[in-house]
Amino acid sequence: MAIINFSKTSDCRLLELEQEIVSSLEQEQEVLFISNSATSNVVLCTQTETFKVTKVESSNAALLATGSLVGGEPGVVKSSVSFHWEARRINPRLDFGSSLPTYSVTDPSAASRAPNLKQLQASMQASITEIEAALQSS
C-alpha cells in the first residue's frame, strides 16, 4: 500500500471528488473549474453535472485513496494541512436573463454576436448538458 504525505509547504492540494468526476477524468472527458464575478462560488463542471467546490477545515487527516496512486494500488494520504477542498453536486446556476444579451429583431448581425455554449457555461456555472436541457425546455 502506498503512503503519500502532504504538508503545508506542499505544492499539491487535496480535492475530495464524487465518483462522477473521477469517472469523467478517467475517460479523459473535459472537467472545468468555473468562477465568475456574479457569484463568489467556484464550481467544477463535467459534461453533464455541476459541483460546488468548498473549503473544508481539517487537521492531520488520513484519507484512504483508490485508483492509480502508485501502480494502480490503493493507498493512504496523510495530511498535516489545515484544510482540503471538496466538490459536491449542486443544481446548476441557470440565469439566462443576465447571461444573454438583448437583441433587436431588426438587427441582422445579432446572431453573430450571440454567445456560444462555452461562453454561457462560464457566465452561468452549469454543465453543457444542463444548459442545453434548459434551452430546450424554455
Side-chain angles (χ1 to χ4, degrees), residues 112-134:
S112 66
R113 294 190 316 270
N116 62 35
L117 280 174
K118 286 292 185 186
Q119 291 165 327
L120 285 175
Q121 183 179 37
S123 66
M124 287 202 263
Q125 296 187 321
S127 73
I128 294 295
T129 301
E130 291 164 328
I131 293 169
E132 288 174 336

Side-chain angles (χ1 to χ4, degrees), residues 70-127:
V70 179
E73 295 183 23
V76 174
V77 177
K78 292 186 176 183
S79 168
S80 61
V81 296
S82 59
F83 69 90
H84 69 277
W85 299 95
E86 73 176 7
R88 296 288 176 241
R89 186 182 343 241
I90 61 166
N91 290 328
R93 188 176 150 265
L94 296 166
D95 184 6
F96 289 104
S98 65
S99 299
L100 293 174
T102 306
Y103 299 107
S104 167
V105 205
T106 59
D107 183 0
S109 65
S112 66
R113 294 190 316 270
N116 62 35
L117 280 174
K118 286 292 185 186
Q119 291 165 327
L120 285 175
Q121 183 179 37
S123 66
M124 287 202 263
Q125 296 187 321
S127 73

Side-chain angles (χ1 to χ4, degrees), residues 55-76:
K55 186 177 181 178
V56 178
E57 302 296 325
S58 59
S59 63
N60 299 325
L63 309 168
L64 179 62
T66 61
S68 54
L69 276 177
V70 179
E73 295 183 23
V76 174

